[in-house]
mmCIF file of all heavy atoms in Angstrom:
data_model
loop_
_atom_site.group_PDB
_atom_site.id
_atom_site.type_symbol
_atom_site.label_atom_id
_atom_site.label_comp_id
_atom_site.label_asym_id
_atom_site.label_seq_id
_atom_site.Cartn_x
_atom_site.Cartn_y
_atom_site.Cartn_z
ATOM 1 N N GLY A 1472 21.216 -4.939 10.274
ATOM 2 C CA GLY A 1472 19.968 -5.685 10.369
ATOM 3 C C GLY A 1472 19.228 -5.744 9.060
ATOM 4 O O GLY A 1472 19.477 -4.980 8.169
ATOM 5 N N GLY A 1473 18.312 -6.713 8.951
ATOM 6 C CA GLY A 1473 17.558 -6.795 7.709
ATOM 7 C C GLY A 1473 16.580 -7.921 7.731
ATOM 8 O O GLY A 1473 16.498 -8.675 8.687
ATOM 9 N N ALA A 1474 15.851 -8.053 6.667
ATOM 10 C CA ALA A 1474 14.804 -9.057 6.609
ATOM 11 C C ALA A 1474 15.362 -10.452 6.364
ATOM 12 O O ALA A 1474 14.659 -11.428 6.509
ATOM 13 C CB ALA A 1474 13.816 -8.688 5.513
ATOM 14 N N GLY A 1475 16.650 -10.555 6.001
ATOM 15 C CA GLY A 1475 17.267 -11.877 5.884
ATOM 16 C C GLY A 1475 16.883 -12.599 4.622
ATOM 17 O O GLY A 1475 15.952 -12.231 3.929
ATOM 18 N N ALA A 1476 17.640 -13.657 4.331
ATOM 19 C CA ALA A 1476 17.425 -14.376 3.074
ATOM 20 C C ALA A 1476 16.094 -15.110 3.052
ATOM 21 O O ALA A 1476 15.661 -15.575 2.021
ATOM 22 C CB ALA A 1476 18.569 -15.357 2.840
ATOM 23 N N GLY A 1477 15.435 -15.217 4.198
ATOM 24 C CA GLY A 1477 14.151 -15.908 4.229
ATOM 25 C C GLY A 1477 12.980 -14.999 3.912
ATOM 26 O O GLY A 1477 11.846 -15.427 3.901
ATOM 27 N N SER A 1478 13.283 -13.728 3.653
ATOM 28 C CA SER A 1478 12.215 -12.764 3.482
ATOM 29 C C SER A 1478 11.669 -12.731 2.057
ATOM 30 O O SER A 1478 12.382 -13.001 1.116
ATOM 31 C CB SER A 1478 12.756 -11.378 3.833
ATOM 32 O OG SER A 1478 11.907 -10.390 3.319
ATOM 33 N N PRO A 1479 10.383 -12.372 1.891
ATOM 34 C CA PRO A 1479 9.848 -12.200 0.549
ATOM 35 C C PRO A 1479 10.561 -11.056 -0.171
ATOM 36 O O PRO A 1479 10.410 -10.870 -1.346
ATOM 37 C CB PRO A 1479 8.382 -11.831 0.783
ATOM 38 C CG PRO A 1479 8.096 -12.190 2.170
ATOM 39 C CD PRO A 1479 9.376 -12.173 2.925
ATOM 40 N N GLU A 1480 11.314 -10.220 0.567
ATOM 41 C CA GLU A 1480 11.954 -9.058 -0.033
ATOM 42 C C GLU A 1480 13.408 -9.338 -0.397
ATOM 43 O O GLU A 1480 14.226 -8.453 -0.445
ATOM 44 C CB GLU A 1480 11.869 -7.879 0.928
ATOM 45 C CG GLU A 1480 10.462 -7.399 1.059
ATOM 46 C CD GLU A 1480 10.290 -6.375 2.142
ATOM 47 O OE1 GLU A 1480 11.185 -6.202 2.963
ATOM 48 O OE2 GLU A 1480 9.228 -5.757 2.164
ATOM 49 N N SER A 1481 13.768 -10.579 -0.638
ATOM 50 C CA SER A 1481 15.151 -10.922 -0.921
ATOM 51 C C SER A 1481 15.579 -10.604 -2.346
ATOM 52 O O SER A 1481 16.726 -10.772 -2.685
ATOM 53 C CB SER A 1481 15.359 -12.425 -0.688
ATOM 54 O OG SER A 1481 15.077 -12.747 0.645
ATOM 55 N N PHE A 1482 14.669 -10.188 -3.208
ATOM 56 C CA PHE A 1482 15.036 -9.936 -4.598
ATOM 57 C C PHE A 1482 15.961 -8.731 -4.712
ATOM 58 O O PHE A 1482 15.803 -7.755 -4.006
ATOM 59 C CB PHE A 1482 13.783 -9.692 -5.442
ATOM 60 C CG PHE A 1482 12.994 -10.944 -5.687
ATOM 61 C CD1 PHE A 1482 11.631 -10.961 -5.496
ATOM 62 C CD2 PHE A 1482 13.633 -12.103 -6.095
ATOM 63 C CE1 PHE A 1482 10.896 -12.115 -5.718
ATOM 64 C CE2 PHE A 1482 12.904 -13.249 -6.325
ATOM 65 C CZ PHE A 1482 11.545 -13.256 -6.135
ATOM 66 N N PRO A 1483 16.920 -8.777 -5.624
ATOM 67 C CA PRO A 1483 17.877 -7.685 -5.741
ATOM 68 C C PRO A 1483 17.334 -6.447 -6.434
ATOM 69 O O PRO A 1483 17.882 -5.385 -6.310
ATOM 70 C CB PRO A 1483 18.998 -8.294 -6.588
ATOM 71 C CG PRO A 1483 18.333 -9.356 -7.380
ATOM 72 C CD PRO A 1483 17.229 -9.885 -6.523
ATOM 73 N N ALA A 1484 16.262 -6.550 -7.183
ATOM 74 C CA ALA A 1484 15.811 -5.410 -7.987
ATOM 75 C C ALA A 1484 14.351 -5.095 -7.730
ATOM 76 O O ALA A 1484 13.587 -4.815 -8.629
ATOM 77 C CB ALA A 1484 16.033 -5.701 -9.465
ATOM 78 N N ARG A 1485 13.956 -5.132 -6.479
ATOM 79 C CA ARG A 1485 12.564 -4.906 -6.138
ATOM 80 C C ARG A 1485 12.204 -3.449 -6.405
ATOM 81 O O ARG A 1485 12.922 -2.543 -6.002
ATOM 82 C CB ARG A 1485 12.368 -5.224 -4.660
ATOM 83 C CG ARG A 1485 10.924 -5.157 -4.214
ATOM 84 C CD ARG A 1485 10.838 -5.632 -2.764
ATOM 85 N NE ARG A 1485 9.469 -5.850 -2.384
ATOM 86 C CZ ARG A 1485 8.645 -4.863 -2.050
ATOM 87 N NH1 ARG A 1485 9.049 -3.636 -2.078
ATOM 88 N NH2 ARG A 1485 7.395 -5.135 -1.702
ATOM 89 N N VAL A 1486 11.118 -3.212 -7.078
ATOM 90 C CA VAL A 1486 10.682 -1.846 -7.351
ATOM 91 C C VAL A 1486 9.375 -1.597 -6.598
ATOM 92 O O VAL A 1486 8.338 -2.123 -6.963
ATOM 93 C CB VAL A 1486 10.469 -1.615 -8.861
ATOM 94 C CG1 VAL A 1486 10.013 -0.188 -9.110
ATOM 95 C CG2 VAL A 1486 11.754 -1.901 -9.617
ATOM 96 N N PRO A 1487 9.423 -0.829 -5.495
ATOM 97 C CA PRO A 1487 8.213 -0.598 -4.718
ATOM 98 C C PRO A 1487 7.228 0.302 -5.452
ATOM 99 O O PRO A 1487 7.542 0.869 -6.491
ATOM 100 C CB PRO A 1487 8.725 0.097 -3.459
ATOM 101 C CG PRO A 1487 10.208 -0.042 -3.482
ATOM 102 C CD PRO A 1487 10.598 -0.175 -4.916
ATOM 103 N N GLY A 1488 6.066 0.457 -4.860
ATOM 104 C CA GLY A 1488 5.047 1.338 -5.419
ATOM 105 C C GLY A 1488 3.770 0.586 -5.684
ATOM 106 O O GLY A 1488 3.489 0.179 -6.791
ATOM 107 N N THR A 1489 2.993 0.369 -4.636
ATOM 108 C CA THR A 1489 1.727 -0.368 -4.785
ATOM 109 C C THR A 1489 0.605 0.457 -4.168
ATOM 110 O O THR A 1489 -0.154 -0.045 -3.357
ATOM 111 C CB THR A 1489 1.804 -1.747 -4.091
ATOM 112 O OG1 THR A 1489 2.183 -1.553 -2.716
ATOM 113 C CG2 THR A 1489 2.816 -2.645 -4.765
ATOM 114 N N LEU A 1490 0.540 1.727 -4.540
ATOM 115 C CA LEU A 1490 -0.467 2.601 -3.942
ATOM 116 C C LEU A 1490 -1.836 2.341 -4.549
ATOM 117 O O LEU A 1490 -1.962 2.070 -5.739
ATOM 118 C CB LEU A 1490 -0.075 4.067 -4.150
ATOM 119 C CG LEU A 1490 1.254 4.482 -3.495
ATOM 120 C CD1 LEU A 1490 1.486 5.965 -3.713
ATOM 121 C CD2 LEU A 1490 1.265 4.149 -2.007
ATOM 122 N N LEU A 1491 -2.850 2.433 -3.709
ATOM 123 C CA LEU A 1491 -4.227 2.147 -4.130
ATOM 124 C C LEU A 1491 -5.037 3.440 -4.197
ATOM 125 O O LEU A 1491 -4.767 4.389 -3.453
ATOM 126 C CB LEU A 1491 -4.863 1.161 -3.147
ATOM 127 C CG LEU A 1491 -4.178 -0.219 -3.095
ATOM 128 C CD1 LEU A 1491 -4.609 -0.984 -1.873
ATOM 129 C CD2 LEU A 1491 -4.461 -1.012 -4.357
ATOM 130 N N PRO A 1492 -6.063 3.477 -5.057
ATOM 131 C CA PRO A 1492 -6.870 4.703 -5.181
ATOM 132 C C PRO A 1492 -7.810 4.878 -3.988
ATOM 133 O O PRO A 1492 -8.045 3.938 -3.226
ATOM 134 C CB PRO A 1492 -7.674 4.451 -6.463
ATOM 135 C CG PRO A 1492 -7.745 2.964 -6.599
ATOM 136 C CD PRO A 1492 -6.481 2.420 -6.000
ATOM 137 N N ARG A 1493 -8.362 6.073 -3.868
ATOM 138 C CA ARG A 1493 -9.299 6.346 -2.769
ATOM 139 C C ARG A 1493 -10.587 5.548 -2.964
ATOM 140 O O ARG A 1493 -11.058 5.356 -4.079
ATOM 141 C CB ARG A 1493 -9.621 7.841 -2.738
ATOM 142 C CG ARG A 1493 -10.384 8.258 -1.473
ATOM 143 C CD ARG A 1493 -10.673 9.750 -1.483
ATOM 144 N NE ARG A 1493 -9.469 10.520 -1.686
ATOM 145 C CZ ARG A 1493 -9.464 11.800 -2.038
ATOM 146 N NH1 ARG A 1493 -10.604 12.447 -2.235
ATOM 147 N NH2 ARG A 1493 -8.332 12.440 -2.214
ATOM 148 N N LEU A 1494 -11.138 5.076 -1.869
ATOM 149 C CA LEU A 1494 -12.406 4.331 -1.904
ATOM 150 C C LEU A 1494 -13.547 5.271 -2.301
ATOM 151 O O LEU A 1494 -13.447 6.483 -2.104
ATOM 152 C CB LEU A 1494 -12.705 3.735 -0.523
ATOM 153 C CG LEU A 1494 -11.769 2.653 0.017
ATOM 154 C CD1 LEU A 1494 -12.200 2.264 1.422
ATOM 155 C CD2 LEU A 1494 -11.744 1.438 -0.882
ATOM 156 N N PRO A 1495 -14.655 4.716 -2.804
ATOM 157 C CA PRO A 1495 -15.829 5.569 -3.065
ATOM 158 C C PRO A 1495 -16.351 6.149 -1.750
ATOM 159 O O PRO A 1495 -16.298 5.490 -0.710
ATOM 160 C CB PRO A 1495 -16.853 4.594 -3.666
ATOM 161 C CG PRO A 1495 -16.066 3.378 -4.062
ATOM 162 C CD PRO A 1495 -14.884 3.310 -3.154
ATOM 163 N N SER A 1496 -16.846 7.374 -1.797
ATOM 164 C CA SER A 1496 -17.373 7.992 -0.574
ATOM 165 C C SER A 1496 -18.747 7.413 -0.238
ATOM 166 O O SER A 1496 -19.466 6.937 -1.118
ATOM 167 C CB SER A 1496 -17.465 9.504 -0.743
ATOM 168 O OG SER A 1496 -18.276 9.808 -1.845
ATOM 169 N N GLU A 1497 -19.053 7.447 1.052
ATOM 170 C CA GLU A 1497 -20.364 6.987 1.535
ATOM 171 C C GLU A 1497 -20.929 8.042 2.464
ATOM 172 O O GLU A 1497 -20.178 8.645 3.247
ATOM 173 C CB GLU A 1497 -20.215 5.652 2.286
ATOM 174 C CG GLU A 1497 -19.924 4.467 1.384
ATOM 175 C CD GLU A 1497 -19.906 3.149 2.167
ATOM 176 O OE1 GLU A 1497 -20.626 3.074 3.188
ATOM 177 O OE2 GLU A 1497 -19.178 2.230 1.759
ATOM 178 N N PRO A 1498 -22.237 8.277 2.425
ATOM 179 C CA PRO A 1498 -22.838 9.300 3.295
ATOM 180 C C PRO A 1498 -22.497 9.055 4.766
ATOM 181 O O PRO A 1498 -22.614 7.929 5.261
ATOM 182 C CB PRO A 1498 -24.346 9.156 3.039
ATOM 183 C CG PRO A 1498 -24.436 8.502 1.694
ATOM 184 C CD PRO A 1498 -23.231 7.623 1.577
ATOM 185 N N GLY A 1499 -22.037 10.121 5.425
ATOM 186 C CA GLY A 1499 -21.758 10.032 6.859
ATOM 187 C C GLY A 1499 -20.467 9.322 7.217
ATOM 188 O O GLY A 1499 -20.127 9.197 8.396
ATOM 189 N N MET A 1500 -19.730 8.842 6.221
ATOM 190 C CA MET A 1500 -18.498 8.103 6.496
ATOM 191 C C MET A 1500 -17.277 8.938 6.119
ATOM 192 O O MET A 1500 -17.326 9.759 5.199
ATOM 193 C CB MET A 1500 -18.472 6.790 5.711
ATOM 194 C CG MET A 1500 -19.663 5.894 5.986
ATOM 195 S SD MET A 1500 -19.736 5.382 7.719
ATOM 196 C CE MET A 1500 -18.819 3.863 7.627
ATOM 197 N N THR A 1501 -16.165 8.708 6.829
ATOM 198 C CA THR A 1501 -14.958 9.515 6.650
ATOM 199 C C THR A 1501 -13.828 8.695 6.042
ATOM 200 O O THR A 1501 -13.536 7.581 6.500
ATOM 201 C CB THR A 1501 -14.482 10.068 8.020
ATOM 202 O OG1 THR A 1501 -15.595 10.653 8.689
ATOM 203 C CG2 THR A 1501 -13.392 11.098 7.839
ATOM 204 N N LEU A 1502 -13.203 9.256 5.011
ATOM 205 C CA LEU A 1502 -12.007 8.639 4.421
ATOM 206 C C LEU A 1502 -10.786 9.486 4.773
ATOM 207 O O LEU A 1502 -10.896 10.702 4.953
ATOM 208 C CB LEU A 1502 -12.147 8.532 2.902
ATOM 209 C CG LEU A 1502 -13.145 7.476 2.415
ATOM 210 C CD1 LEU A 1502 -13.443 7.679 0.937
ATOM 211 C CD2 LEU A 1502 -12.607 6.061 2.641
ATOM 212 N N LEU A 1503 -9.637 8.832 4.878
ATOM 213 C CA LEU A 1503 -8.413 9.513 5.302
ATOM 214 C C LEU A 1503 -7.343 9.416 4.217
ATOM 215 O O LEU A 1503 -7.036 8.325 3.734
ATOM 216 C CB LEU A 1503 -7.895 8.881 6.602
ATOM 217 C CG LEU A 1503 -6.509 9.312 7.090
ATOM 218 C CD1 LEU A 1503 -6.475 10.803 7.423
ATOM 219 C CD2 LEU A 1503 -6.099 8.494 8.324
ATOM 220 N N THR A 1504 -6.792 10.562 3.841
ATOM 221 C CA THR A 1504 -5.611 10.602 2.974
ATOM 222 C C THR A 1504 -4.442 11.081 3.825
ATOM 223 O O THR A 1504 -4.541 12.111 4.515
ATOM 224 C CB THR A 1504 -5.803 11.587 1.798
ATOM 225 O OG1 THR A 1504 -6.960 11.207 1.059
ATOM 226 C CG2 THR A 1504 -4.588 11.581 0.878
ATOM 227 N N ILE A 1505 -3.354 10.323 3.798
ATOM 228 C CA ILE A 1505 -2.154 10.739 4.538
ATOM 229 C C ILE A 1505 -1.065 11.074 3.533
ATOM 230 O O ILE A 1505 -0.691 10.236 2.711
ATOM 231 C CB ILE A 1505 -1.661 9.621 5.488
ATOM 232 C CG1 ILE A 1505 -2.729 9.290 6.530
ATOM 233 C CG2 ILE A 1505 -0.355 10.031 6.170
ATOM 234 C CD1 ILE A 1505 -2.371 8.119 7.438
#
């Protein structure tokens, strides 16, 4: 199985890694790191 030739991921040399930084904290609000 797979995403098929119609997928945006069809490139042969895709290099993943699009992690984003933590949001600014706000009083009374909770942020989650997994």
Side-chain angles (χ1 to χ4, degrees):
S1478 163
E1480 291 171 347
S1481 299
F1482 287 132
R1485 186 174 192 281
V1486 180
T1489 55
L1490 298 183
L1491 297 165
R1493 191 180 306 164
L1494 294 177
S1496 58
E1497 288 185 29
M1500 303 298 268
T1501 311
L1502 288 167
L1503 171 63
T1504 303
I1505 299 175

